[in-house]
Amino acid sequence: MKEKLKFIIFGILGGLASGLLGIGGGLVFVPLLTNYAEYSQKEAHATSLGAIIPAGIAGALIYNVNGLNNLADSIYLALGGILGAQIGSRAMYKFSNKWLRKAFGVFLLLMSIRMVLK
C-alpha cells in the first residue's frame, strides 16, 4: 500500500503542475519515477505517457468549462501530438537510458532558462 500511495502522490504533483502551469505531467513524472521509484528512463517515459492522458483530459475539461480552452486548436495539437508521440516512442529504442536521461535533463534546463529570461 505504501508503494501505491507514493504513486498517487506523484500523480497529484504531476497533475497539479499540469493544471496550474500548463506543463506536461511528464516534466514531473519522469524525474520522480527515475529518482524515487527506480524506474529506468525508458520505463519512466512510457509510464508517464499513460498517466498524462487522463490527467490532461481532466485539466482540459475544467479549462473548457471556464471558456479558456480553444477546442479546435487543441484538436490540431492532439493530432500532431499523436503523430509525434508515435515517432518519438519508436525512436526511443535507438537510445540508451543514459543518453535519454541526459537529453531530458538538457531539455529541462534549456526550457527553464528560456522561461526565466522571457
Side-chain angles (χ1 to χ4, degrees), residues 21-38:
L21 304 173
I23 63 171
L27 294 178
V28 175
F29 292 150
V30 170
L32 289 172
L33 291 171
T34 56
N35 293 318
Y36 300 106
E38 300 179 10

Side-chain angles (χ1 to χ4, degrees), residues 7 14 18 24-34 39-56 92 104:
F7 285 95
S18 292
L27 294 178
V28 175
F29 292 150
V30 170
L32 289 172
L33 291 171
T34 56
Y39 275 44
S40 74
Q41 197 70 28
K42 291 178 182 180
E43 290 170 327
H45 288 209
T47 303
S48 73
L49 281 174
I52 291 167
I53 295 164
M92 180 184 68
F104 187 77

Side-chain angles (χ1 to χ4, degrees), residues 80-92:
I82 290 167
L83 178 61
Q86 289 179 13
I87 295 167
S89 297
R90 286 186 174 95
M92 180 184 68

Side-chain angles (χ1 to χ4, degrees), residues 58-70:
L61 289 173
I62 298 296
Y63 282 123
N64 196 45
V65 166
N66 290 293
L68 295 173
N69 185 12
N70 183 323

Side-chain angles (χ1 to χ4, degrees), residues 66-84:
N66 290 293
L68 295 173
N69 185 12
N70 183 323
L71 191 57
D73 287 349
S74 292
I75 291 169
Y76 290 119
L77 284 171
L79 291 172
I82 290 167
L83 178 61

